[in-house]
Amino acid sequence: MKIFQNLNFVLVDTSHPGNIGACARAMNSMGILNLSLVNPKEFPSKESEARAKSGKKVLDKAKIHENLNEAINTSNLVIGTSARSRSMPWPMMEINDLGKVINESLARKEEVSIVFGNEAFGLDNEDLGKCDFHLQIPTTKDSSLNLSHAVQIVAHEIHKESLSDLSIQVREVELATSMQKEKLMEHIEIVLELLDFYDHQNPKQVPARLTRLIKRMQLDKLEIGILRGILTKLEDRLTNN
Ligand code: SAH
């Protein structure tokens, strides 16, 4: 049975400890053992343990974080799951591509995180904006999946793909981490500010769209380094003249 290293499932703002246990059980059944909990309402709890069954070991080594950044900072690929389409269209991951994309990324020794939201509200736009891709599992209209069912489906897709003979596409350089992408975006904003680029009527639009562009490009560490170098030169010119 394959155990997935460097793959984390992140549950954000989970309300019901029973659901955390059910997610641990679902993950364990597919060989995914790394669980991160962001701001869980109640954890640890007897109810989680009762629902986890053989997944108790997943609960025992679960990590607790105060916010999503803390959980995904070192990840190279972050996929946010959502039951609904959101106002700002984001690069979508098709469920049929999910297993392949993730297994290839893991084969390159990258770290992957899949993020799941609160039972009632899902992930908010801020947290969705931190993800490289969004994944919506197709369901019938007017129905929603229980959190642990969504976890089970995603875990199964990843596990299923790992069983097949992969023709793994190896990139030469590791993908940039979530934090490196965030720092690049901060740097771009500084330079745009110096350039007086912003439309002050609508200041939020440009950074949000650029963030989306950066996520979509799947930049590697070398490419980020080049862009940061260009930005540093620009910044020097703009401040010294
Ligand atoms: N009313 C909430 C539903 C939350 S369900 C909403 O509209 O977002 C709890 C979590 O389960 C979601 O945040 C998501 O992580 C996952 N989930 C439920 N249904 C899903 C679906 N069809 N596709 C992807 N993730 C889903």
Side-chain angles (χ1 to χ4, degrees):
M1 172 86 185
K2 179 175 168 119
I3 300 293
F4 290 88
Q5 314 289 345
N6 299 333
L7 172 62
N8 312 306
F9 277 28
V10 185
L11 306 184
V12 180
D13 288 330
T14 316
S15 301
H16 301 291
N19 278 336
I20 298 178
C23 290
R25 181 179 184 178
M27 289 167 60
N28 183 55
S29 69
M30 297 293 133
I32 300 165
L33 306 184
N34 304 326
L35 174 62
S36 293
L37 302 170
V38 176
N39 216 7
K41 191 154 179 219
E42 198 186 323
F43 189 83
S45 106
K46 286 254 168 305
E47 208 182 330
S48 297
E49 285 193 15
R51 292 283 299 280
K53 307 257 184 204
S54 55
K56 185 172 175 301
K57 59 176 177 293
V58 174
L59 294 182
D60 290 344
K61 65 186 206 97
K63 294 195 182 121
I64 316 270
H65 298 285
E66 272 179 25
N67 55 54
L68 180 59
N69 272 347
E70 224 179 86
I72 62 170
N73 262 342
T74 53
S75 296
N76 306 86
L77 175 64
V78 181
I79 298 174
T81 59
S82 171
R84 304 171 276 139
S85 319
R86 306 298 171 118
S87 50
M88 170 111 171
W90 210 250
M92 297 299 292
M93 177 71 66
E94 295 295 326
I95 187 85
N96 288 335
D97 298 332
L98 180 79
K100 190 162 194 292
V101 170
I102 289 178
N103 279 287
E104 284 178 356
S105 179
L106 293 172
R108 292 192 298 266
K109 304 270 184 279
E110 292 166 1
E111 186 183 296
V112 179
S113 289
I114 322 273
V115 189
F116 298 86
N118 167 274
E119 296 91 329
F121 312 112
L123 290 167
D124 64 22
N125 285 336
E126 194 185 335
D127 281 348
L128 279 167
K130 294 177 178 157
C131 302
D132 300 304
F133 292 94
H134 294 170
L135 169 79
Q136 191 177 3
I137 303 163
T139 59
T140 53
K141 275 201 189 122
D142 305 324
S143 65
S144 83
L145 293 169
N146 170 271
L147 171 63
S148 68
H149 296 176
V151 165
Q152 183 76 74
I153 291 170
V154 171
H156 177 253
E157 287 295 324
I158 299 168
H159 180 250
K160 184 179 69 179
E161 186 68 30
S162 78
L163 300 175
S164 70
D165 228 356
L166 277 176
S167 53
I168 295 161
Q169 177 212 337
V170 183
R171 262 174 92 125
E172 284 160 45
V173 185
E174 201 179 293
L175 290 182
T177 64
S178 182
M179 193 196 269
Q180 286 166 333
K181 282 177 269 193
E182 194 134 311
K183 294 265 179 256
L184 170 66
M185 195 51 221
E186 282 168 18
H187 205 161
I188 292 176
E189 286 193 50
I190 290 169
V191 172
L192 291 183
E193 200 61 67
L194 287 171
L195 284 167
D196 205 14
F197 180 84
Y198 286 123
D199 171 3
H200 292 282
Q201 309 276 290
N202 211 347
K204 282 244 148 88
Q205 279 287 323
V206 171
R209 285 180 189 277
L210 284 175
T211 302
R212 186 174 63 176
L213 173 72
I214 289 169
K215 306 285 191 199
R216 194 167 60 220
M217 285 194 298
Q218 296 229 273
L219 295 168
D220 67 34
K221 296 192 168 185
L222 217 77
E223 291 162 343
I224 287 251
I226 295 169
L227 288 171
R228 290 293 299 271
I230 295 171
L231 289 166
T232 303
K233 282 260 174 199
L234 265 172
E235 200 184 342
D236 285 352
R237 286 279 170 98
L238 290 165
T239 42
N240 293 330
N241 280 334

